[in-house]
Amino acid sequence: MYDLKGKVAIITGAGRHHGLGEGIAKRLVAEGARVVLTDIGTPKGERFAKEHIGTSAEMNEIVAEIRAAGGVAVALTCDVRSESDVQVVIDRTVKEFGRLDVFVNNAGVGYIMKPMLELSQEDWDAVLEVNLRGVFFGTKHAARQMIHQGSGGRIINITSQAARHAFPDLAAYVSSKHAVVGLTRTAALEFGRHGITVNAVGPNHVTTGLGARQNEYRAKTQGISVEQLLANRAATIPLGRVGKVSDISAMCAFLASDQAQYITGQAFDVSGGQEMHN
Ligand SMILES: NC(=O)c1ccc[n+]([C@@H]2O[C@H](COP(=O)([O-])OP(=O)(O)OC[C@H]3O[C@@H](n4cnc5c(N)ncnc54)[C@H](O)[C@@H]3O)[C@@H](O)[C@H]2O)c1
């Protein structure tokens, strides 16, 4: 539907089964792109514990699935908090595939949920370092490579409903996602003359690893089951259901394509219209 033949894309935080990054990578491949999946790869302390992250083994499984289906994909470890990691991934991508056309800043930490009075500096930094600083590094170095190539490009930042609305016990997350909209708009202004578009895509709830963790927390604090929580949530969504990975990956494929060449600096809700109720 959106012809991405010949395009090369990097997706961060794409090493987890059922995650948005996996879905975005597979959809871009289905449109003809060659993809580089990246993720943190190994646990790093209690805030990046195994149950919250995409491991290298899991990312390699996803790449194997893509290849088995005839797609072209590579897995590279990249901690988006590290500017040099991000630079190395872009350099290796260009070495492997000759170019970079699409960069999706998808990696995110949304599982640290605490009332603000209990939120430590370490919690705050863990979220902001991935969700904001990581997006800055990805945007900066992807744009640098795209400018060098001289044929434009696409940068897509995965934000959230939390980029527009407040949610309790998610102060750092909400702050980071609001900030990414500002970064997106600034990058769109600075890079527009190079033919690079920069847009944000804001999902509502999707039951990924991160989404499931948020559900458990919300259900517990409200004293209801996860099933009840999801049913209550669906009732506030005009289109009658929570989000699916495919809803988000379809938007990314569109924004990555030539069809979206005149769209930049925008923050899209892909949420079944839920924000009208919030
Ligand atoms: N699932 C939802 O309901 C939902 C809603 C709105 C926005 N989002 C956003 O979607 C994006 C993807 O989340 P998801 O729901 O697919 O969850 P997920 O847990 O499957 O994906 C998040 C990924 O980010 C990676 N990551 C964390 N720290 C990293 C680091 N330092 N360097 C590199 N990678 C790192 C994790 O390893 C993980 O693979 C996130 O930005 C999240 O905030 C999700």
Side-chain angles (χ1 to χ4, degrees), residues 154-170:
R154 299 279 189 272
I155 297 172
I156 301 168
N157 298 330
I158 305 302
T159 53
S160 169
Q161 274 192 315
R164 263 188 226 287
H165 299 280
F167 292 91
D169 305 345
L170 277 172

Side-chain angles (χ1 to χ4, degrees), residues 13-16 19-21 39-40 48 52-54 78-81 106-109 130 158-161 173 177 203-206 208-211 214:
R16 223 174 164 193
L20 296 178
D39 213 312
I40 190 169
F48 297 90
H52 296 308
I53 62 149
C78 172
D79 184 337
V80 297
R81 295 173 297 170
N106 169 73
V109 172
V130 175
I158 305 302
T159 53
S160 169
Q161 274 192 315
Y173 185 76
K177 295 295 187 179
N204 62 338
H205 172 72
V206 183
T208 60
L210 185 158
Q214 291 184 342

Side-chain angles (χ1 to χ4, degrees), residues 71-143:
V72 178
V74 166
L76 294 177
T77 302
C78 172
D79 184 337
V80 297
R81 295 173 297 170
S82 156
E83 186 160 19
S84 60
D85 268 26
V86 174
Q87 276 178 292
V88 165
V89 157
I90 291 174
D91 290 348
R92 287 183 64 183
T93 299
V94 173
K95 208 168 171 197
E96 174 86 21
F97 294 125
R99 55 186 300 104
L100 172 66
D101 302 287
V102 181
F103 195 98
V104 185
N105 283 299
N106 169 73
V109 172
Y111 46 79
I112 298 176
M113 302 181 77
K114 292 179 185 177
M116 206 187 302
L117 297 181
E118 293 169 22
L119 200 66
S120 67
Q121 182 184 329
E122 289 74 24
D123 296 327
W124 176 270
D125 289 346
V127 177
L128 271 289
E129 284 174 2
V130 175
N131 296 14
L132 183 56
R133 195 171 83 189
V135 176
F136 162 59
F137 290 154
T139 302
K140 173 180 166 182
H141 291 286

Side-chain angles (χ1 to χ4, degrees), residues 26 28 30 37 46-47 52 65 78 84 104 115 153 155 175 182 213 227 243 257 276:
K26 287 183 171 173
L28 298 186
L37 283 76
E46 63 177 282
R47 288 177 186 78
H52 296 308
E65 287 168 17
C78 172
S84 60
V104 185
I155 297 172
S175 303
R213 160 82 186 108
E227 292 70 31
S257 76
M276 291 185 283

